[in-house]
Structures are given as structure tokens and as C-alpha cells.
Amino acid sequence: VNQCFPGGMMDVAWTGEGFVGVGDGFWFSPDGITWDLTTELEGHLVATSLSQWGTRWIAVGRGPRISMPGLEVMPGSEEGRRDQDSAAVWISDDARSWELVFVDDSNWGFAADVVAGPDGPVVVGWTWAGFRDVRLPAAWHSPDGTTWEAVFPTEQELASALSWEGLMDHVIRMGGWLIAADEGYRDGSHPQRE
């Protein structure tokens, strides 16, 4: 294959009619060799994972930048505010035409993985704790693939966030169970901090 995907292809799946790939856009291929860009993502938006849910396809990733109160002033931001990524969800009925249906503009975050749950699709990733640069594991649920609700962390879990942090990278379904993996750190033992 001699084809270039400028931002990289992050995930790929078989649709029954061909392959769908996600990254800084959405691609479709009937044979896995020749790929057509079917939906382009603008700016810094990136889809990182996709999953089939019934007859629909759901992709998740990095959404538009949103402005939140912050401890630092970032270039181009209002004083005392920072622009950071948001968690985003795209949906498609044919794995070719994609629509951005959800952006969690209530907080900074990132959607890392998606799975078809027993009661609708579930997305995992991270959200900002509200202070310093502490990230917390996060999860969102949808009954229909279009309307989404944050289900983790709760307000109580946000309040105890000084003692733990991390993010959920992957989620799978086993029967009626969803199992998520994270890189959580407890008691300030983050390996990249001094």
C-alpha cells in the first residue's frame, strides 16, 4: 500500500462491505488497499477509536478546544482562562458519512475508546479535575448514540481527586459487563512528576 494518511490512522474496523478508518478524518476502503477520505476533520479534531452499535457506527476522540478557568494564561486566551481539548463523539449510519453529535463542553477532556454496552454505547477517557493539571478517568453513556451523559466521575469522586488521577484508555464488553483499563496513579505517585 502506497497511500499517505497525514495525521495517521488511529483505528480501523470491518463493516461487512469494506473497512472504515479513523484519525484526522474518516476513510473507507472496499479492499483495505485503496482508501477514500469520506469525511474530513478540520483543525485539531481527531477520531481515535470506533465501534459498531447495532446498525450505527460510533467514533470518539479529541473535539473542539473549549475555554475554561485555568491557573495559567495560554497564548490567545483571555486572562485567567485556558483553551484545551474536549471529548467528542461522531456517529454514522453507513460508516462513510460522519456527524459530530456530542462535545462535552462542560469540562476539558478526551474520549479514548468506545464500546457497545448492554444499554447503549459507552465512552471512556479523561476529564479535568478542576485544579492544577490533574486528569481523572471519565466515562459517558448514551441510550441512543446521539444524546450523551457523563456518568463518571461523580461530584464526590471529583472532591477526592487530590489523592488519585489517571485516564481510562480502553473498554471492552464481556457479556453484561464492561471492563475498562486505565493508567491511574494514587497518592501523588505520578511517574512523570518530581
Side-chain angles (χ1 to χ4, degrees), residues 38-108:
T38 60
T39 304
E40 186 173 2
L41 296 179
E42 298 190 16
H44 72 286
L45 277 65
V46 174
T48 57
S49 181
L50 76 156
S51 180
Q52 189 172 18
W53 176 64
T55 60
R56 293 182 138 179
W57 287 88
I58 296 174
V60 300
R62 181 175 66 206
R65 290 188 180 271
I66 57 174
S67 182
M68 300 284 292
L71 300 177
E72 311 167 22
V73 178
M74 303 292 272
S77 298
E78 298 175 28
E79 186 172 342
R81 298 185 73 81
R82 299 182 1 176
D83 293 336
Q84 291 289 348
D85 300 330
S86 60
V89 178
W90 293 265
I91 197 164
S92 175
D93 290 322
D94 62 5
R96 290 175 178 86
S97 300
W98 292 83
E99 178 186 1
L100 180 64
V101 294
F102 173 72
V103 172
D104 188 352
D105 58 5
S106 67
N107 204 350
W108 297 335

Side-chain angles (χ1 to χ4, degrees), residues 6 16 33-35 38 62 74 76 80 82 87 94 108 110 124 135 149 154 159 161 164 167 178-180 183-184 194:
I33 297 172
T34 304
W35 293 84
T38 60
R62 181 175 66 206
M74 303 292 272
R82 299 182 1 176
D94 62 5
W108 297 335
F110 181 78
V124 298
R135 299 179 304 173
E149 176 185 16
T154 64
W164 62 281
L167 59 92
L178 297 179
I179 301 171
E183 57 175 46
E194 299 177 11

Side-chain angles (χ1 to χ4, degrees), residues 159-185:
S160 67
L162 279 172
S163 62
W164 62 281
E165 70 175 298
L167 59 92
M168 284 192 270
D169 294 307
H170 303 285
V171 61
I172 63 168
R173 179 178 174 182
M174 291 184 63
W177 290 87
L178 297 179
I179 301 171
D182 76 353
E183 57 175 46
Y185 307 109

